[in-house]
Amino acid sequence: MPDSFLIMAGLAGIGLMLAAGPLGAFVVWRRMAYMGDATAHAAILGVALALASGMPVAAGTTVVALLMALAVTVLSNRGRGADTALGVLAHSALAFGLVAVSFLPNVRSDLSSWLFGDVLTVGMGDLLWIWGGSVAVLALLVWRWDALLTATVNEELAQAAGIDPRREKLTLTLALALVVAVALKIVGALLIAALLIIPAAAARALARTPEAMAVWAVAVGAVSVVAGLSLSLFLDTPAGPSIVAAAAGLFGLSLIPFRAR
């Protein structure tokens, strides 16, 4: 029988993947990896501001991640220079966050938990926050699925169908900001984008429809959580990075049938 803290960690990771799987599919389809990085890196600044002001960390990270996601959305609409601007913004956000944390001596020693996650210390309050946020994101994606998919495939077709592509991109931005805030406890700011992208990339090799890819992404992510926690338990490795490493291993396995052909 697994220890209770492992069960809590597993439930937290699986809860996160309910939202990160389908959202990760859109991140892959729309090539939003830089947006995910910038939003995740800004979460460290949210942690520092929350701890300095005495507000809940979840609230601070959500607000800052949302503001960063909106800023990134504006920059990504500027054309050729978007990649450079996003790169500058992503790493600058992380740097400012680390500098801000340095002014909080009691946080410095525990900085790795915000950078790489600390899923093994998840409590009931964290679990409720993770599942609540994930279910909210999943409900949003299900509600807007057809419009989001149409806007992703062809913006002109979306406009012809009466769908505003900018509104749908904003929907994804809001979902991304919330998932970043939810995932911070599990894999940390440096690995959130990886957990969005890798399961979805593995699922693409297994699926034939967009809906199947979203479901497969959830499944790959859930298996990665269980496998990563098992690796962490038996090899005494960090839990968050172990989960991402397990996802990377599954991605490699997903390529084998295609190589054989």
Side-chain angles (χ1 to χ4, degrees):
M1 179 72 179
D3 291 330
S4 59
F5 73 92
L6 279 176
I7 295 175
M8 295 284 281
L11 289 174
I14 292 171
L16 170 64
M17 290 314 304
L18 288 177
L23 182 60
F26 281 104
V27 169
V28 170
W29 293 331
R30 298 179 71 107
R31 299 179 181 179
M32 294 170 61
Y34 250 148
M35 181 177 289
D37 270 335
T39 306
H41 290 173
I44 292 296
L45 180 58
V47 169
L49 295 177
L51 294 176
S53 63
M55 68 187 299
V57 172
T61 53
T62 301
V63 171
V64 174
L66 179 58
L67 292 175
M68 180 59 70
L70 294 174
V72 168
T73 300
V74 173
L75 287 174
S76 66
N77 291 328
R78 291 192 173 183
R80 289 185 179 177
D83 284 348
T84 300
L86 291 176
V88 170
L89 196 57
H91 295 96
S92 297
L94 179 60
F96 279 116
L98 294 175
V99 169
V101 167
S102 71
F103 289 101
L104 303 171
N106 58 320
V107 178
R108 254 185 281 183
S109 60
D110 197 32
L111 185 59
S112 63
S113 66
W114 302 111
L115 294 175
F116 303 108
D118 197 8
V119 67
L120 296 180
T121 64
V122 166
M124 183 56 68
D126 298 316
L127 196 61
L128 292 175
W129 160 243
I130 290 166
W131 273 83
S134 293
V135 169
V137 169
L138 182 60
L140 177 63
L141 294 178
V142 170
W143 174 46
R144 302 300 304 166
W145 181 265
D146 290 338
L148 287 169
L149 194 58
T150 303
T152 298
V153 172
N154 191 312
E155 290 191 357
E156 293 181 357
L157 178 63
Q159 290 175 335
I163 299 169
D164 184 356
R166 290 177 297 181
R167 182 185 62 196
E168 304 312 320
K169 189 171 184 178
L170 180 60
T171 298
L172 288 177
T173 299
L174 296 173
L176 183 60
L178 185 53
V179 166
V180 164
V182 165
L184 193 64
K185 182 76 172 180
I186 299 175
V187 291
L190 297 184
L191 296 174
I192 292 172
L195 204 58
L196 283 167
I197 296 168
I198 297 175
R204 183 160 55 180
L206 303 171
R208 294 291 177 268
T209 66
E211 292 77 11
M213 180 172 164
V215 173
W216 271 110
V218 173
V220 171
V223 172
S224 300
V225 168
V226 175
L229 290 175
S230 299
L231 285 173
S232 177
L233 177 64
F234 291 112
L235 301 179
D236 195 25
T237 54
S242 296
I243 291 171
V244 175
L250 291 176
F251 171 73
L253 290 175
S254 74
L255 300 179
I256 293 176
F258 294 90
R259 287 178 179 173
R261 294 176 188 175

